[in-house]
Short mmCIF file of all heavy atoms in Angstrom, two decimals:
data_model
loop_
_atom_site.label_atom_id
_atom_site.label_comp_id
_atom_site.label_asym_id
_atom_site.label_seq_id
_atom_site.Cartn_x
_atom_site.Cartn_y
_atom_site.Cartn_z
N SER C 381 0.87 -1.18 0.00
CA SER C 381 0.00 0.00 0.00
C SER C 381 0.90 1.22 0.00
O SER C 381 1.62 1.48 0.96
CB SER C 381 -0.90 0.01 1.24
OG SER C 381 -1.68 1.19 1.28
N GLU C 382 0.88 1.94 -1.10
CA GLU C 382 1.75 3.10 -1.30
C GLU C 382 0.93 4.21 -1.95
O GLU C 382 0.38 4.03 -3.04
CB GLU C 382 2.94 2.72 -2.17
CG GLU C 382 3.74 3.87 -2.74
CD GLU C 382 4.26 4.83 -1.69
OE1 GLU C 382 4.84 4.37 -0.69
OE2 GLU C 382 4.06 6.05 -1.86
N PRO C 383 0.79 5.38 -1.27
CA PRO C 383 -0.08 6.44 -1.78
C PRO C 383 0.37 7.07 -3.09
O PRO C 383 -0.44 7.61 -3.84
CB PRO C 383 -0.09 7.47 -0.65
CG PRO C 383 1.17 7.20 0.13
CD PRO C 383 1.38 5.72 0.03
N ARG C 384 1.66 6.99 -3.40
CA ARG C 384 2.16 7.54 -4.66
C ARG C 384 1.94 6.52 -5.76
O ARG C 384 2.61 5.49 -5.81
CB ARG C 384 3.63 7.91 -4.54
CG ARG C 384 3.93 9.00 -3.50
CD ARG C 384 5.42 9.09 -3.23
NE ARG C 384 5.93 7.88 -2.61
CZ ARG C 384 7.22 7.58 -2.47
NH1 ARG C 384 8.14 8.42 -2.94
NH2 ARG C 384 7.60 6.45 -1.90
N ALA C 385 1.01 6.80 -6.66
CA ALA C 385 0.61 5.84 -7.68
C ALA C 385 1.78 5.39 -8.55
O ALA C 385 1.92 4.20 -8.87
CB ALA C 385 -0.50 6.44 -8.55
N GLU C 386 2.63 6.33 -8.93
CA GLU C 386 3.76 5.98 -9.78
C GLU C 386 4.72 5.03 -9.07
O GLU C 386 5.22 4.07 -9.66
CB GLU C 386 4.49 7.26 -10.20
CG GLU C 386 5.64 7.03 -11.16
CD GLU C 386 6.29 8.33 -11.60
OE1 GLU C 386 5.65 9.40 -11.54
OE2 GLU C 386 7.47 8.27 -12.02
N ARG C 387 4.96 5.29 -7.79
CA ARG C 387 5.85 4.43 -7.01
C ARG C 387 5.22 3.05 -6.81
O ARG C 387 5.91 2.03 -6.92
CB ARG C 387 6.13 5.08 -5.65
CG ARG C 387 6.93 4.23 -4.67
CD ARG C 387 8.30 3.88 -5.20
NE ARG C 387 9.12 3.24 -4.16
CZ ARG C 387 10.24 2.59 -4.40
NH1 ARG C 387 10.70 2.48 -5.64
NH2 ARG C 387 10.91 2.04 -3.41
N ALA C 388 3.92 3.01 -6.52
CA ALA C 388 3.24 1.72 -6.36
C ALA C 388 3.34 0.89 -7.63
O ALA C 388 3.64 -0.32 -7.58
CB ALA C 388 1.78 1.96 -5.99
N ALA C 389 3.12 1.52 -8.79
CA ALA C 389 3.20 0.81 -10.07
C ALA C 389 4.61 0.28 -10.31
O ALA C 389 4.80 -0.83 -10.84
CB ALA C 389 2.78 1.74 -11.20
N GLU C 390 5.61 1.05 -9.91
CA GLU C 390 7.01 0.63 -10.06
C GLU C 390 7.29 -0.63 -9.26
O GLU C 390 7.93 -1.57 -9.75
CB GLU C 390 7.91 1.77 -9.60
CG GLU C 390 9.40 1.49 -9.68
CD GLU C 390 10.23 2.62 -9.10
OE1 GLU C 390 9.67 3.69 -8.78
OE2 GLU C 390 11.46 2.45 -9.00
N LEU C 391 6.80 -0.68 -8.01
CA LEU C 391 7.02 -1.84 -7.15
C LEU C 391 6.27 -3.06 -7.68
O LEU C 391 6.80 -4.18 -7.64
CB LEU C 391 6.59 -1.52 -5.72
CG LEU C 391 7.43 -0.46 -5.00
CD1 LEU C 391 6.77 -0.08 -3.68
CD2 LEU C 391 8.85 -0.94 -4.76
N VAL C 392 5.07 -2.86 -8.16
CA VAL C 392 4.28 -3.96 -8.71
C VAL C 392 4.99 -4.59 -9.90
O VAL C 392 5.10 -5.82 -10.01
CB VAL C 392 2.87 -3.46 -9.11
CG1 VAL C 392 2.15 -4.52 -9.96
CG2 VAL C 392 2.05 -3.13 -7.88
N GLU C 393 5.50 -3.76 -10.79
CA GLU C 393 6.19 -4.26 -11.98
C GLU C 393 7.51 -4.92 -11.62
O GLU C 393 7.88 -5.97 -12.17
CB GLU C 393 6.43 -3.11 -12.96
CG GLU C 393 7.14 -3.55 -14.24
CD GLU C 393 7.32 -2.41 -15.22
OE1 GLU C 393 6.88 -1.28 -14.94
OE2 GLU C 393 7.92 -2.65 -16.28
N ARG C 394 8.24 -4.33 -10.69
CA ARG C 394 9.58 -4.83 -10.36
C ARG C 394 9.55 -6.15 -9.63
O ARG C 394 10.41 -7.02 -9.85
CB ARG C 394 10.32 -3.78 -9.52
CG ARG C 394 11.76 -4.12 -9.18
CD ARG C 394 12.43 -2.96 -8.47
NE ARG C 394 12.51 -1.79 -9.33
CZ ARG C 394 12.74 -0.54 -8.88
NH1 ARG C 394 12.93 -0.33 -7.59
NH2 ARG C 394 12.81 0.46 -9.73
N TYR C 395 8.56 -6.34 -8.74
CA TYR C 395 8.56 -7.51 -7.87
C TYR C 395 7.38 -8.45 -8.09
O TYR C 395 7.25 -9.45 -7.38
CB TYR C 395 8.61 -7.07 -6.40
CG TYR C 395 9.84 -6.27 -6.08
CD1 TYR C 395 9.78 -4.90 -5.91
CD2 TYR C 395 11.09 -6.89 -5.99
CE1 TYR C 395 10.92 -4.15 -5.63
CE2 TYR C 395 12.24 -6.16 -5.72
CZ TYR C 395 12.14 -4.79 -5.55
OH TYR C 395 13.28 -4.07 -5.28
N ASP C 396 6.53 -8.15 -9.06
CA ASP C 396 5.37 -8.99 -9.35
C ASP C 396 4.51 -9.19 -8.10
O ASP C 396 4.21 -10.31 -7.69
CB ASP C 396 5.82 -10.34 -9.91
CG ASP C 396 4.65 -11.15 -10.46
OD1 ASP C 396 3.61 -10.55 -10.81
OD2 ASP C 396 4.77 -12.40 -10.53
N ILE C 397 4.15 -8.08 -7.48
CA ILE C 397 3.29 -8.10 -6.30
C ILE C 397 2.01 -7.33 -6.62
O ILE C 397 1.84 -6.84 -7.73
CB ILE C 397 3.99 -7.46 -5.07
CG1 ILE C 397 4.38 -6.00 -5.37
CG2 ILE C 397 5.24 -8.27 -4.71
CD1 ILE C 397 5.01 -5.27 -4.20
N THR C 398 1.11 -7.24 -5.64
CA THR C 398 -0.12 -6.50 -5.85
C THR C 398 -0.08 -5.18 -5.09
O THR C 398 0.71 -5.02 -4.16
CB THR C 398 -1.35 -7.31 -5.40
OG1 THR C 398 -1.22 -7.61 -4.00
CG2 THR C 398 -1.45 -8.60 -6.18
N SER C 399 -0.96 -4.27 -5.47
CA SER C 399 -1.05 -2.97 -4.82
C SER C 399 -2.51 -2.69 -4.48
O SER C 399 -3.41 -3.02 -5.27
CB SER C 399 -0.50 -1.88 -5.74
OG SER C 399 -0.72 -0.59 -5.19
N ALA C 400 -2.73 -2.09 -3.32
CA ALA C 400 -4.09 -1.78 -2.89
C ALA C 400 -4.04 -0.71 -1.82
O ALA C 400 -2.97 -0.38 -1.30
CB ALA C 400 -4.79 -3.03 -2.36
N ASP C 401 -5.21 -0.17 -1.48
CA ASP C 401 -5.26 0.75 -0.35
C ASP C 401 -4.96 -0.03 0.92
O ASP C 401 -5.00 -1.28 0.93
CB ASP C 401 -6.63 1.42 -0.27
CG ASP C 401 -7.76 0.43 -0.06
OD1 ASP C 401 -7.98 0.01 1.10
OD2 ASP C 401 -8.41 0.04 -1.05
N ALA C 402 -4.67 0.67 2.00
CA ALA C 402 -4.19 0.02 3.22
C ALA C 402 -5.17 -1.02 3.76
O ALA C 402 -4.79 -2.14 4.11
CB ALA C 402 -3.89 1.07 4.29
N GLU C 403 -6.45 -0.65 3.83
CA GLU C 403 -7.44 -1.57 4.40
C GLU C 403 -7.55 -2.84 3.57
O GLU C 403 -7.61 -3.96 4.10
CB GLU C 403 -8.81 -0.91 4.49
CG GLU C 403 -8.89 0.22 5.51
CD GLU C 403 -8.64 1.59 4.86
OE1 GLU C 403 -7.85 1.66 3.88
OE2 GLU C 403 -9.23 2.57 5.34
N THR C 404 -7.53 -2.71 2.24
CA THR C 404 -7.62 -3.88 1.37
C THR C 404 -6.33 -4.70 1.44
O THR C 404 -6.37 -5.94 1.48
CB THR C 404 -7.88 -3.45 -0.08
OG1 THR C 404 -9.08 -2.67 -0.14
CG2 THR C 404 -8.01 -4.65 -1.00
N ALA C 405 -5.19 -4.03 1.48
CA ALA C 405 -3.90 -4.73 1.48
C ALA C 405 -3.74 -5.61 2.71
O ALA C 405 -3.14 -6.69 2.62
CB ALA C 405 -2.77 -3.72 1.39
N VAL C 406 -4.23 -5.17 3.85
CA VAL C 406 -4.02 -5.95 5.07
C VAL C 406 -5.05 -7.05 5.27
O VAL C 406 -4.87 -7.93 6.10
CB VAL C 406 -4.01 -5.04 6.32
CG1 VAL C 406 -2.98 -3.94 6.18
CG2 VAL C 406 -5.39 -4.45 6.62
N THR C 407 -6.14 -7.01 4.52
CA THR C 407 -7.20 -8.01 4.68
C THR C 407 -6.65 -9.40 4.37
O THR C 407 -6.14 -9.66 3.28
CB THR C 407 -8.39 -7.70 3.76
OG1 THR C 407 -8.92 -6.42 4.08
CG2 THR C 407 -9.48 -8.75 3.92
N GLY C 408 -6.73 -10.28 5.35
CA GLY C 408 -6.26 -11.64 5.18
C GLY C 408 -4.76 -11.83 5.35
O GLY C 408 -4.27 -12.96 5.25
N ALA C 409 -4.03 -10.75 5.61
CA ALA C 409 -2.57 -10.87 5.74
C ALA C 409 -2.17 -11.49 7.06
O ALA C 409 -2.72 -11.17 8.11
CB ALA C 409 -1.92 -9.50 5.59
N ASN C 410 -1.17 -12.39 7.01
CA ASN C 410 -0.61 -12.98 8.24
C ASN C 410 0.36 -12.02 8.91
O ASN C 410 0.46 -11.96 10.14
CB ASN C 410 0.14 -14.27 7.93
CG ASN C 410 -0.65 -15.26 7.12
OD1 ASN C 410 -0.55 -15.24 5.89
ND2 ASN C 410 -1.43 -16.09 7.76
N VAL C 411 1.10 -11.27 8.07
CA VAL C 411 2.11 -10.34 8.56
C VAL C 411 1.87 -8.99 7.90
O VAL C 411 1.71 -8.90 6.68
CB VAL C 411 3.55 -10.82 8.24
CG1 VAL C 411 4.58 -9.80 8.72
CG2 VAL C 411 3.81 -12.19 8.85
N ILE C 412 1.84 -7.94 8.72
CA ILE C 412 1.64 -6.58 8.22
C ILE C 412 2.83 -5.75 8.68
O ILE C 412 3.12 -5.68 9.88
CB ILE C 412 0.33 -5.98 8.77
CG1 ILE C 412 -0.87 -6.81 8.32
CG2 ILE C 412 0.18 -4.52 8.33
CD1 ILE C 412 -2.14 -6.54 9.10
N VAL C 413 3.50 -5.13 7.72
CA VAL C 413 4.68 -4.32 8.04
C VAL C 413 4.34 -2.85 7.88
O VAL C 413 3.87 -2.42 6.81
CB VAL C 413 5.86 -4.68 7.11
CG1 VAL C 413 7.07 -3.81 7.43
CG2 VAL C 413 6.21 -6.15 7.25
N LEU C 414 4.56 -2.08 8.93
CA LEU C 414 4.35 -0.64 8.88
C LEU C 414 5.71 0.01 8.58
O LEU C 414 6.55 0.15 9.46
CB LEU C 414 3.79 -0.13 10.20
CG LEU C 414 2.48 -0.78 10.67
CD1 LEU C 414 1.96 -0.10 11.93
CD2 LEU C 414 1.42 -0.75 9.58
N ALA C 415 5.89 0.38 7.31
CA ALA C 415 7.15 0.98 6.87
C ALA C 415 6.90 2.43 6.47
O ALA C 415 7.32 2.88 5.41
CB ALA C 415 7.73 0.18 5.71
N VAL C 416 6.22 3.15 7.36
CA VAL C 416 5.89 4.55 7.12
C VAL C 416 6.69 5.42 8.09
O VAL C 416 7.35 4.92 8.99
CB VAL C 416 4.38 4.81 7.30
CG1 VAL C 416 3.59 4.01 6.27
CG2 VAL C 416 3.92 4.44 8.72
N LYS C 417 6.63 6.73 7.89
CA LYS C 417 7.31 7.65 8.80
C LYS C 417 6.73 7.51 10.22
O LYS C 417 5.54 7.25 10.38
CB LYS C 417 7.16 9.09 8.32
CG LYS C 417 7.74 9.36 6.94
CD LYS C 417 9.26 9.22 6.93
CE LYS C 417 9.82 9.62 5.56
NZ LYS C 417 11.30 9.41 5.52
N PRO C 418 7.59 7.68 11.23
CA PRO C 418 7.12 7.48 12.61
C PRO C 418 5.86 8.25 12.96
O PRO C 418 4.97 7.72 13.64
CB PRO C 418 8.32 7.96 13.45
CG PRO C 418 9.50 7.66 12.58
CD PRO C 418 9.05 7.95 11.18
N HIS C 419 5.71 9.50 12.47
CA HIS C 419 4.54 10.28 12.85
C HIS C 419 3.27 9.82 12.14
O HIS C 419 2.17 10.31 12.45
CB HIS C 419 4.78 11.78 12.58
CG HIS C 419 5.06 12.12 11.15
ND1 HIS C 419 6.31 11.98 10.59
CD2 HIS C 419 4.26 12.59 10.16
CE1 HIS C 419 6.27 12.35 9.32
NE2 HIS C 419 5.04 12.72 9.03
N HIS C 420 3.39 8.86 11.22
CA HIS C 420 2.21 8.31 10.54
C HIS C 420 1.78 6.97 11.12
O HIS C 420 0.71 6.46 10.75
CB HIS C 420 2.49 8.14 9.06
CG HIS C 420 2.59 9.42 8.28
ND1 HIS C 420 1.68 10.45 8.42
CD2 HIS C 420 3.48 9.82 7.34
CE1 HIS C 420 2.02 11.45 7.60
NE2 HIS C 420 3.11 11.09 6.96
N VAL C 421 2.58 6.36 11.98
CA VAL C 421 2.31 5.00 12.44
C VAL C 421 0.97 4.89 13.17
O VAL C 421 0.15 4.01 12.87
CB VAL C 421 3.44 4.48 13.34
CG1 VAL C 421 3.04 3.17 14.02
CG2 VAL C 421 4.71 4.26 12.52
N ALA C 422 0.72 5.78 14.13
CA ALA C 422 -0.53 5.71 14.90
C ALA C 422 -1.74 5.88 13.98
O ALA C 422 -2.74 5.15 14.09
CB ALA C 422 -0.54 6.77 15.99
N GLU C 423 -1.64 6.81 13.05
CA GLU C 423 -2.73 7.06 12.11
C GLU C 423 -3.00 5.83 11.24
O GLU C 423 -4.17 5.43 11.05
CB GLU C 423 -2.37 8.25 11.22
CG GLU C 423 -3.33 8.52 10.08
CD GLU C 423 -2.79 9.56 9.11
OE1 GLU C 423 -1.79 10.23 9.43
OE2 GLU C 423 -3.36 9.67 8.01
N VAL C 424 -1.94 5.20 10.74
CA VAL C 424 -2.10 4.01 9.90
C VAL C 424 -2.66 2.85 10.71
O VAL C 424 -3.53 2.10 10.23
CB VAL C 424 -0.76 3.63 9.24
CG1 VAL C 424 -0.85 2.27 8.55
CG2 VAL C 424 -0.34 4.70 8.24
N ALA C 425 -2.18 2.69 11.94
CA ALA C 425 -2.69 1.62 12.80
C ALA C 425 -4.19 1.76 13.02
O ALA C 425 -4.94 0.77 12.95
CB ALA C 425 -1.95 1.61 14.13
N GLU C 426 -4.64 2.97 13.25
CA GLU C 426 -6.08 3.21 13.42
C GLU C 426 -6.84 2.93 12.12
O GLU C 426 -7.94 2.39 12.13
CB GLU C 426 -6.32 4.65 13.87
CG GLU C 426 -5.84 4.94 15.28
CD GLU C 426 -5.97 6.41 15.66
OE1 GLU C 426 -6.32 7.21 14.77
OE2 GLU C 426 -5.71 6.74 16.84
N GLN C 427 -6.22 3.28 11.00
CA GLN C 427 -6.86 3.11 9.70
C GLN C 427 -7.11 1.64 9.37
O GLN C 427 -8.15 1.28 8.80
CB GLN C 427 -5.98 3.74 8.61
CG GLN C 427 -6.55 3.67 7.20
CD GLN C 427 -5.59 4.26 6.17
OE1 GLN C 427 -4.53 4.79 6.52
NE2 GLN C 427 -5.96 4.18 4.90
N ILE C 428 -6.15 0.78 9.72
CA ILE C 428 -6.27 -0.63 9.36
C ILE C 428 -6.88 -1.49 10.46
O ILE C 428 -7.13 -2.68 10.25
CB ILE C 428 -4.89 -1.22 8.99
CG1 ILE C 428 -3.95 -1.23 10.21
CG2 ILE C 428 -4.28 -0.45 7.82
CD1 ILE C 428 -2.62 -1.93 9.95
#
């Protein structure tokens, strides 16, 4: 889940993975990695 569309598309093409909004991306996931800036962590945790 990456808000910059161009960057998300780059990762999808490079690694053959999927891209989605945060709520969709975490649905069904066994492991969720929060790789955002520290001041965004609480906000993202609440979002998902």
Side-chain angles (χ1 to χ4, degrees):
S381 176
E382 166 55 48
R384 297 168 295 168
E386 183 177 337
R387 174 61 171 165
E390 179 184 352
L391 294 171
V392 168
E393 180 178 359
R394 183 174 297 163
Y395 299 105
D396 190 23
I397 59 177
T398 60
S399 174
D401 61 81
E403 292 95 328
T404 303
V406 304
T407 300
N410 309 92
V411 178
I412 299 164
V413 179
L414 304 185
V416 297
K417 299 294 185 183
H419 61 278
H420 289 314
V421 170
E423 173 190 348
V424 171
E426 291 175 353
Q427 182 182 356
I428 65 174

